[in-house]
Amino acid sequence: MASSPSEPILPESDFIIQGVTSNGKAFRPSDWADRLCGIMSRFHPDGDSAYGRHLQYSPYVLPAMLEGVRSVVVDGRLRALEPLAYHFLLSFAKDNDLLIVDACLLPDQPKSR
């Protein structure tokens, strides 16, 4: 269920930032999701912030195209790793009047041999 940017969501929950404002307009620039995820690329589960980390997205903050809308999927585990980064993402969505959707991310399935 989508919430308006002014409605609070649970601070440790997974969520999706949709590239649509509360009045239904597409958020610009069109590559906003890639840019935002690029900023968050330093945050990884192992805590390693090695130099080359900027060359791959964080597994906690990923761009996605969901039902034709550019979006950013945020894993709630980011809050435990870096609370300020987590709250930055929430603030970004609220400051830009973007829709926030509560989500429940499923763990990766083990690869079969």
Side-chain angles (χ1 to χ4, degrees):
M1 165 175 17
S3 66
S4 74
S6 61
E7 292 177 18
I9 65 171
L10 296 174
E12 65 280 344
S13 66
D14 302 329
F15 62 94
I16 298 169
I17 302 171
Q18 291 185 316
V20 178
T21 63
S22 62
N23 62 6
K25 294 187 179 183
F27 185 63
R28 298 286 181 231
S30 61
D31 65 344
W32 73 271
D34 299 311
R35 291 181 187 200
L36 185 59
C37 291
I39 292 168
M40 295 289 135
S41 66
R42 306 287 274 176
F43 300 104
H44 287 266
D46 58 11
D48 181 17
S49 60
Y51 176 73
R53 288 291 191 196
H54 68 282
L55 300 175
Q56 63 188 41
Y57 291 126
S58 166
Y60 298 129
V61 186
L62 296 169
M65 184 69 81
L66 302 172
E67 296 180 359
V69 177
R70 291 194 186 278
S71 304
V72 171
V73 179
V74 180
D75 189 317
R77 294 176 293 173
L78 176 64
R79 183 173 184 265
L81 179 67
E82 184 50 65
L84 291 176
Y86 184 87
H87 290 291
F88 168 79
L89 293 166
L90 282 173
S91 295
F92 175 87
K94 291 176 184 177
D95 292 346
N96 290 289
D97 194 30
L98 299 176
L99 298 180
I100 299 172
V101 179
D102 292 325
C104 179
L105 304 180
L106 300 175
D108 291 334
Q109 297 295 322
K111 294 180 181 174
S112 60
R113 296 181 180 190

